């Protein structure tokens, strides 16, 4: 590309080594991570040792983390109740989040094989929201598919207490088709973690904090920058190498890898 300077690996490494990173900034990143992720005691101690200011409301942090844990444990009804006690506006003003929580509650009812309650909940709570918000319908349809394929729900469940069914070869072949991947994903623990993070972000925003750790934001920026570098490069880079940074970033941001 005209006007674009090319660097070899040695030059790039040399430039990278010249970048100065402030210890204060690094400490601030760590403190932010500790606070956002709920390690309030560690945050206070870290702030004391590094000289950073830290006005920590331990009760507030503990409440937020207990709500987050409730969602990750599948106790969605409890989480919704506690959020409403904290501030009803958190859910009242966020229709997608409330829908995702209700959807997760439906998934948990399916997980426990309480199918009558699942159908009633879907009819009374989710169907009206889907009618009012067409963008919710696709997710609702995927979740309802778990009711149509009860063996699929059991097969996909990765919770420790899950009772895995023995599937016939033809059923196993069917469930391994790409069309079932997004449905299977609903029964994974990662779905709970995803909704828990979404709720945690909403609570943080309500309390005047950032919606995610600054470190997570830097991971996103790194992945975006890597993609832009690859797009603007004339160097042929293997596909698997091109996406390593994005794959790592996705793993970090999804909770599969701690950052």
């Amino acid at each position: 590309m005209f006007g674009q300077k090319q660097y070899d690996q040695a030059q790039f490494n040399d430039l990278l080594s010249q970048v100065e990173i402030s210890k204060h900034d690094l400490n601030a990143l760590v403190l932010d991570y500790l606070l956002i992720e709920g390690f309030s005691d560690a945050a206070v101690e870290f702030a004391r040792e590094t000289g950073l200011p830290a006005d920590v409301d331990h009760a507030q942090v503990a409440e937020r983390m207990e709500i987050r844990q409730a969602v990750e444990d599948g106790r969605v009804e409890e989480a919704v109740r506690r959020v409403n006690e904290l501030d009803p506006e958190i859910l009242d003003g966020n229709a997608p989040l409330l829908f995702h929580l209700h959807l997760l509650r439906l998934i948990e009812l399916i997980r426990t094989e309480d199918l009558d309650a699942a159908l009633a909940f879907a009819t009374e709570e989710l169907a009206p929201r889907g009618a009012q918000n067409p963008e919710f319908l696709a997710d609702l349809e995927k979740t309802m598919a778990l009711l149509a394929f009860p063996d699929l729900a059991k097969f996909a469940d990765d919770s420790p207490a899950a009772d895995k069914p023995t599937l016939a070869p033809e059923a196993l072949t069917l469930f391994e088709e790409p069309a079932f991947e997004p449905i299977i994903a609903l029964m994974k623990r990662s779905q709970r973690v995803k909704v828990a993070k979404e709720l945690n972000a909403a609570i943080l925003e309500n309390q005047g904090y950032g919606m995610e750790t600054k470190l997570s934001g830097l991971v996103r920026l790194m992945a975006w920058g890597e993609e832009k570098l690859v797009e603007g490069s004339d160097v042929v880079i293997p596909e698997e190498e091109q996406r390593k940074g994005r794959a790592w970033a996705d793993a970090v941001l999804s909770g599969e890898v701690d950052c």
Side-chain angles (χ1 to χ4, degrees), residues 33-253:
Y33 178 85
L34 293 173
L35 286 172
I36 297 300
E37 291 299 315
F39 304 108
S40 57
D41 291 337
V44 170
E45 182 62 23
F46 183 78
R48 186 186 64 79
E49 291 182 1
T50 57
L52 292 171
D55 184 15
V56 180
D57 186 332
H58 291 277
Q60 187 183 70
V61 173
E63 176 79 2
R64 175 168 57 83
M65 297 314 295
E66 287 170 7
I67 291 171
R68 177 173 175 172
Q69 190 62 51
V71 177
E72 292 187 3
D73 290 345
R75 294 178 281 117
V76 184
E77 195 171 8
E78 174 191 333
V80 170
R81 174 181 57 77
R82 294 183 67 169
V83 171
N84 284 330
E85 290 172 355
L86 197 63
D87 186 346
E89 283 298 315
I90 295 173
L91 296 181
D92 289 347
N94 194 332
L97 171 58
L98 183 57
F99 181 79
H100 292 156
L101 284 164
H102 282 325
L103 208 61
L104 185 60
R105 186 179 172 195
L106 174 60
I107 291 168
E108 297 306 325
L109 289 170
I110 294 171
R111 193 189 308 276
T112 58
E113 299 183 66
D114 193 349
L115 302 187
D116 288 340
L119 283 169
F121 185 74
T123 302
E124 296 168 9
E125 295 291 342
L126 289 167
R129 287 181 168 83
Q132 295 171 4
N133 302 274
E135 67 271 22
F136 296 161
L137 285 176
D139 286 337
L140 179 56
E141 288 170 357
K142 284 189 296 185
T143 307
M144 294 303 291
L146 292 170
L147 288 171
F149 297 95
D151 283 345
L152 174 62
K154 295 178 184 177
F155 170 74
D157 191 354
D158 62 354
S159 60
D163 183 17
K164 293 284 187 180
T166 301
L167 298 178
E170 57 270 21
L172 188 59
T173 301
L174 176 66
F175 293 158
E176 288 176 346
E177 291 184 4
F180 283 96
E181 287 181 5
I183 302 172
I184 288 173
L186 296 173
M187 294 298 296
K188 303 297 185 184
R189 173 172 169 75
S190 57
Q191 179 67 17
R192 289 178 174 178
V193 172
K194 177 182 175 182
V195 177
K197 283 191 170 185
E198 185 181 1
L199 177 57
N200 188 57
I203 296 173
L204 284 166
E205 184 180 34
N206 176 264
Q207 295 175 345
Y209 296 101
M211 294 178 67
E212 65 176 4
T213 66
K214 291 182 173 65
L215 195 55
S216 294
L218 288 174
V219 169
R220 293 184 196 278
L221 182 61
M222 181 216 70
W224 175 84
E226 182 182 75
E227 289 178 356
K228 292 302 177 184
L229 283 172
V230 170
E231 288 173 8
S233 174
D234 295 328
V235 179
V236 178
I237 303 174
E239 181 68 23
E240 63 272 15
E241 291 295 326
Q242 291 183 27
R243 302 305 172 202
K244 273 187 177 179
R246 167 54 66 185
W248 176 79
D250 288 344
V252 169
L253 296 169

Side-chain angles (χ1 to χ4, degrees), residues 21-33:
I21 302 175
S22 162
K23 186 174 182 180
H24 178 275
D25 290 344
L26 287 176
N27 288 339
L29 276 176
V30 173
L31 179 61
D32 174 78
Y33 178 85

